[in-house]
Amino acid sequence: MDLHLLDEDGSLRTVELGAAAAFAPPCGPLRSRTVYAAVHVIPRPASDTAPGAPADLDWEATLAFRRSMWRRGLGVADAMDTAQRGMGLDPAATRELITRTAGAAREALANPTIARLFPAGAEVRDLVVAGVSTDQRPEVELSLDEIVDAYREQLAATEATGAGAVLMASRHLARAARSAADYESVYRRVLDAATAPVVLHWLGTAFDPQLEGYFGSTDAAEASATLLRIIGEDPSRVRGVKMSLLDDAAEVAVRERLPEGVRMLTGDDFHFSHLIVGEDGAFSHALLGAFAATAPAASAAVQALDRGGRAEARRILDDAERLARHVFSAPTFHYKTGVAFLSWLNGHQQAFSMVGGMHAARSLPHLSRTVELAAATGNLEDPPLAAARWHALLSLHGFEVTAVDGAAR
């Protein structure tokens, strides 16, 4: 089958489309790594996706996408930046999303087919963790006390659903904090309110420029020292750390200093392959937006690690990383467009649309390269369907392509 691609100069070229990769789902729990896919949200095809409009989600498709992660043995990280938190997903929709996903996780644990893919005695928080921030407050500026109260409000609501909590970086705190001590004080007070260990999330400026200087410094080493002091005060309250700085050396430096029992969950969508496979017994677990786009590959890689197949795992993850580097290319915060685009190509949603109109954030040539890399790396789950949908999109924009097997759906 031919796959038609659009280059930056507006010319079309044709490559041969291969078969889908043979990434089998697991038969039991993934053992050697803890992996969460940070997942996106799917609007109703007929909804108003204009910037600023309240998110109107297709709940059936949104939850089905999460179930597809669990069927691969992966956990779900929800209501985070991949779900367009603060970039199209409003606070009311965020609260409903967490509640619905936690409910779907509870149903999944009652389904023997899915439950057997997770350890015996698994709870909702083992299948889903959800972002906790301060974005329900519409004010631009908040005091430190108000920030603590906002964090605690969301933390209590999230814990009430049974989901695990991810303390996300707060734009309010980035604006209000005047020193590393301010960060330490706020996080200590929020952690004191947690009823179960949480994941701390450090999101870099490539993902959100408003978070510059988070943890009190633009120097990664100084900010890392603050983060480690926060954890060190009571490590029992911290389940793990997700670092999303796109700086693998900084991640390794923090990983080496984490207290026993606190896991590093890489959020580095540029370097996750070597960080997850690791070296000399040291490795990162994962909480990645990239794995929303490459879930079958992510699952297959951990299955390979479970068998001792480090070289196989590295090959699979290297391919996934090659695709991710393009999807997350600058401006990196538009990576969500690539995640939704691949979800559509792979048949997980009816339309290529996003809340806030963000499906328009990448050019056709950029999307063409996404298709090409997904095909080359085995990340098209149904290649004929993907080709039909991509060719239909090209035709919609006035590019003539020859017929392919299967109609666009």
Side-chain angles (χ1 to χ4, degrees):
M1 176 182 294
D2 287 342
L3 179 66
H4 300 282
L5 301 168
L6 179 67
D7 290 333
E8 292 284 351
D9 62 3
S11 62
L12 288 170
R13 60 187 170 88
T14 303
V15 299
E16 186 174 351
L17 181 63
F23 292 141
C27 297
L30 302 179
R31 301 187 308 276
S32 57
R33 303 290 186 273
T34 298
V35 178
Y36 292 94
V39 290
H40 74 306
V41 293
I42 302 170
R44 288 191 312 109
S47 66
D48 180 2
T49 58
D56 181 2
L57 301 187
D58 180 338
W59 289 111
E60 182 177 349
T62 294
L63 296 177
F65 190 75
R66 283 137 181 79
R67 294 185 189 100
S68 75
M69 300 297 138
W70 295 325
R71 285 195 294 271
R72 293 283 177 176
L74 307 180
V76 163
D78 217 337
M80 299 182 66
D81 46 302
T82 307
Q84 297 180 248
R85 181 77 176 264
M87 292 164 272
L89 190 73
D90 56 274
T94 298
R95 181 70 61 88
E96 185 173 2
L97 176 65
I98 295 170
T99 300
R100 284 180 179 259
T101 301
R106 192 167 288 106
E107 293 173 0
L109 287 171
N111 180 340
T113 301
I114 296 180
R116 67 184 176 84
L117 303 180
F118 294 88
E123 301 178 350
V124 169
R125 64 173 53 91
D126 297 309
L127 272 67
V128 57
V129 295
V132 168
S133 189
T134 62
D135 54 350
Q136 78 273 33
R137 293 291 298 266
E139 302 94 329
V140 174
E141 305 286 346
L142 294 177
S143 70
L144 295 181
D145 285 344
E146 289 171 327
I147 290 167
V148 170
D149 289 343
Y151 261 133
R152 285 177 165 177
E153 178 186 351
Q154 286 199 22
L155 176 63
T158 295
E159 289 188 328
T161 70
V166 179
L167 292 190
M168 299 177 66
S170 164
R171 292 173 178 173
H172 286 118
L173 183 53
R175 286 189 287 266
R178 296 291 176 264
S179 66
D182 285 344
Y183 284 93
E184 293 177 53
S185 172
V186 167
Y187 274 86
R188 180 180 66 253
R189 293 161 66 189
V190 175
L191 287 171
D192 282 346
T195 62
V198 307
V199 174
L200 302 183
H201 185 193
W202 186 3
L203 192 67
T205 54
F207 293 94
D208 189 346
Q210 296 187 52
L211 297 176
E212 185 174 9
Y214 210 78
F215 290 121
S217 178
T218 56
D219 179 81
E222 291 182 11
S224 295
T226 303
L227 172 65
L228 288 163
R229 285 196 299 273
I230 291 169
I231 298 168
E233 186 160 326
D234 188 353
S236 69
R237 293 188 176 274
V238 181
R239 180 180 180 184
V241 178
K242 168 179 160 59
M243 284 185 64
S244 300
L245 303 187
L246 304 182
D247 182 341
D248 51 343
E251 177 176 318
V252 169
V254 171
R255 188 177 74 190
E256 290 175 343
R257 298 171 62 190
L258 287 176
E260 185 176 356
V262 179
R263 293 181 167 185
M264 175 58 72
L265 296 156
T266 186
D268 190 331
D269 301 278
F270 282 2
H271 308 102
F272 58 80
S273 182
H274 83 86
L275 290 167
I276 293 171
V277 174
E279 189 174 5
D280 298 327
F283 56 84
S284 296
H285 300 271
L287 196 163
L288 284 163
F291 283 174
T294 61
S299 175
V302 180
Q303 291 176 63
L305 287 171
D306 289 348
R307 296 190 297 269
R310 288 171 52 84
E312 181 186 0
R314 186 62 191 268
R315 175 185 58 77
I316 295 170
L317 290 174
D318 280 352
D319 279 348
E321 186 178 282
R322 186 154 60 100
L323 172 60
R325 281 177 172 268
H326 174 70
V327 170
F328 285 76
S329 59
T332 297
F333 45 79
H334 287 330
Y335 77 88
K336 306 161 195 71
T337 303
V339 172
F341 178 61
L342 287 165
S343 170
W344 174 62
L345 290 182
N346 285 323
H348 295 291
Q349 59 193 77
Q350 181 180 342
F352 174 39
S353 61
M354 299 173 66
V355 297
M358 292 304 296
H359 47 279
R362 293 294 200 185
S363 69
L364 274 179
H366 178 94
L367 297 178
S368 179
R369 181 62 176 157
T370 302
V371 176
E372 183 176 20
L373 285 169
T377 60
N379 284 290
L380 293 181
E381 298 173 36
D382 183 344
L385 172 63
R389 289 188 164 188
W390 167 240
H391 292 160
L393 186 62
L394 282 177
S395 297
L396 179 66
H397 286 82
F399 293 95
E400 294 186 10
V401 296
T402 56
V404 295
D405 293 337
R409 285 169 279 173

